[in-house]
């Protein structure tokens, strides 16, 4: 699959919050737009119906189009219950769109593996299926988002924010995605996916014993299982997810794309790809109408 990048000469600036106080606007020549003029849209892809919010037309009365000499890279948040397929879809999205994949869970597992103070504390919460405290997670994610590669190529944030306080922290820093993808998967499927998941420690690739088996015996022999991938622990993680998901969704409801994640991974990706393509096309339309 080739790499696709969005490169409008004039772009929208939904990633910058007009309410930001702590985070400097990196592009001072941008105008900020209101979030209130989004309208819902329903499309079909591969027989799957999904809804997303259409970006407003350039002549919407309360809409200020942002004009910038430089292209704004794409910013995406992907969310969903444990084992809903976030990591699997992130691999496909980064292959096509070249975004920097930032997974809160992976950052935390790296701390655990390094046996740092933060890692030791994080592991206690991860083993209980609870959220690791904001003091550890918020700065860790923010710092990764502000690295030059994320700023230049755009980012794909996976598993963050998971609570209203984490979402508020992003808003306070003026960090806002162009689109919020929510993978919707039924609970019985989630448990089956967790129990069968395996990881290749050499390549970082995610497998499933039934749905994505390893390509050969050599890979199969080195696969590992995550310490929180048991039926008992996934139920605790699901409870935590249900306690917090609505609060996070309320922050991003205007830019949410709900995707049916019960299907095969290629079909799930087709829905996401269509949504991201739509965001890119809307940027071109809006940039064209500003240039005219
Ligand atoms: P994290 O690592 O983020 O775990 P999670 O949210 O529970 O999600 P998973 O990584 O388990 O699943 P996934 O959605 O990526 O699914 P995958 O693609 O692998 O977090 C772990 C812990 O860290 C948390 O419990 C918490 O303690 C802490 N933490 C993380 N973020 C935090 C935050 N922001 N704040 C505080 N604490 C935080 O797929 C699963 C399996 O299914 C794979 O085997 C895959 O091959 C298979 N599969 C995927 N898609 C399909 C498909 N379409 N069809 C068939 N099989 C599929």
């Amino acid at each position: 699959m080739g790499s696709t990048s969005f490169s409008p000469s004039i772009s929208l600036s939904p990633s910058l919050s007009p309410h930001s106080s702590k985070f400097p606007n990196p592009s001072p020549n941008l105008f900020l737009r209101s979030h209130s003029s989004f309208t819902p849209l329903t499309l079909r892809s591969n027989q799957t119906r999904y809804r997303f919010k259409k970006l407003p037309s350039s002549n919407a009365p309360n809409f200020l189009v942002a004009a910038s000499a430089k292209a704004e890279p794409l910013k995406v948040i992907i969310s969903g219950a444990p084992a809903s397929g976030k990591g699997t879809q992130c691999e496909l999205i980064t292959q096509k769109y070249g975004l920097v994949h930032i997974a809160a869970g992976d950052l935390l597992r790296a701390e655990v593996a390094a046996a740092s103070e933060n890692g030791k504390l994080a592991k206690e919460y991860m083993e209980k299926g609870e959220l690791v405290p904001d003091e550890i997670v918020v700065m860790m994610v923010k710092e990764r988002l502000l690295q030059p590669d994320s700023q230049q190529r755009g980012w794909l944030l996976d598993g963050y924010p998971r609570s209203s306080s984490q979402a508020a922290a992003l808003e306070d820093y003026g960090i806002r995605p162009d689109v919020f993808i929510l993978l919707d998967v039924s609970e019985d499927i989630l448990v089956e996916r967790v129990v069968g998941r395996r990881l290749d420690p050499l390549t970082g690739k995610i497998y499933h014993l039934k749905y994505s088996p390893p390509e050969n015996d050599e890979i199969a022999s080195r696969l590992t299982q995550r310490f929180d991938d048991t039926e008992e622990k996934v139920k605790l993680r699901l409870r935590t997810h249900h306690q917090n998901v609505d609060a996070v969704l309320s922050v991003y409801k205007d830019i949410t794309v709900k995707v049916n994640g019960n299907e095969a991974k290629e079909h799930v990706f087709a829905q996401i790809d269509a949504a991201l393509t739509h965001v890119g096309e809307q940027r071109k339309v809006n940039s064209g109408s500003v240039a005219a």
Side-chain angles (χ1 to χ4, degrees):
M1 224 182 304
S3 180
T4 302
S5 61
F6 292 116
S7 56
S9 57
I10 301 168
S11 66
L12 300 177
S13 60
S15 57
L16 298 171
S17 163
H19 309 297
S20 168
S21 55
K22 295 185 195 163
F23 190 66
N25 182 345
S27 310
N29 57 334
L30 295 183
F31 295 97
L32 298 169
R33 64 160 173 71
S34 153
H35 295 288
S36 59
S37 55
F38 286 100
T39 49
L41 179 70
T42 303
L43 290 183
R44 277 177 180 276
S45 170
N46 282 343
Q47 305 305 313
T48 304
R49 196 158 159 265
Y50 64 97
R51 286 165 58 78
F52 60 86
K53 311 294 176 187
K54 183 174 172 250
L55 291 171
S57 65
S58 60
N59 58 358
N62 57 348
F63 173 62
L64 293 174
V65 175
S68 167
K70 273 199 146 192
E72 275 278 307
L74 188 65
K75 299 172 178 77
V76 179
I77 291 182
I78 187 162
S79 173
S84 54
K86 300 182 291 295
T88 300
Q89 293 304 317
C90 285
E91 196 183 329
L92 298 171
I93 296 167
T94 51
Q95 270 172 24
K96 178 157 184 185
Y97 291 91
L99 305 175
V100 175
H101 177 207
I102 302 171
D106 287 349
L107 294 176
L108 287 168
R109 278 184 288 279
E111 292 290 329
V112 172
S116 67
E117 283 310 309
N118 279 347
K120 284 178 200 157
L121 185 61
K123 191 169 185 203
E124 287 175 27
Y125 289 86
M126 293 167 85
E127 281 183 332
K128 289 185 279 183
E130 292 174 5
L131 294 183
V132 173
D134 284 358
E135 297 82 79
I136 297 176
V137 182
V138 171
M139 289 309 288
M140 197 180 70
V141 170
K142 185 197 127 192
E143 277 167 17
R144 188 63 192 89
L145 283 168
L146 296 180
Q147 292 292 312
D149 59 343
S150 314
Q151 293 295 302
Q152 283 154 17
R153 285 162 47 198
W155 42 258
L156 173 60
L157 185 54
D158 163 3
Y160 186 100
R162 290 194 195 221
S163 64
S164 57
S165 61
Q166 292 182 5
L170 277 191
E171 294 281 296
D172 281 348
Y173 290 124
I175 300 174
R176 199 169 166 87
D178 299 300
V179 57
F180 183 93
I181 294 166
L182 176 68
L183 295 179
D184 189 26
V185 179
S186 64
E187 212 147 306
D188 49 334
I189 293 182
L190 293 172
V191 174
E192 191 193 13
R193 285 187 187 172
V194 158
V195 174
R197 171 166 48 194
R198 296 293 183 274
L199 299 174
D200 183 345
L202 212 61
T203 62
K205 195 169 169 191
I206 308 165
Y207 291 93
H208 190 280
L209 295 178
K210 182 172 167 189
Y211 299 114
S212 292
E215 293 87 350
N216 55 50
D217 290 346
E218 190 190 341
I219 296 173
S221 67
R222 64 176 185 241
L223 294 183
T224 58
Q225 194 170 16
R226 263 170 52 175
F227 64 82
D228 55 351
D229 268 357
T230 62
E231 188 166 345
E232 180 202 0
K233 283 189 177 143
V234 76
K235 287 190 171 149
L236 298 172
R237 284 154 62 196
L238 273 169
R239 193 177 64 189
T240 304
H241 171 76
H242 292 313
Q243 282 164 351
N244 292 289
V245 65
D246 287 343
V248 174
L249 281 177
S250 71
V251 175
Y252 299 110
K253 59 177 180 289
D254 290 341
I255 50 168
T256 294
V257 176
K258 195 169 177 181
V259 166
N260 178 0
N262 295 300
E263 301 186 358
K265 68 178 181 180
E266 296 79 12
H267 293 165
V268 178
F269 178 66
Q271 298 172 62
I272 295 172
D273 193 19
L276 296 183
T277 301
H278 181 77
V279 172
E281 282 166 0
Q282 284 299 313
R283 288 172 158 214
K284 282 186 202 151
V285 168
N286 287 311
S287 66
S289 60
V290 167

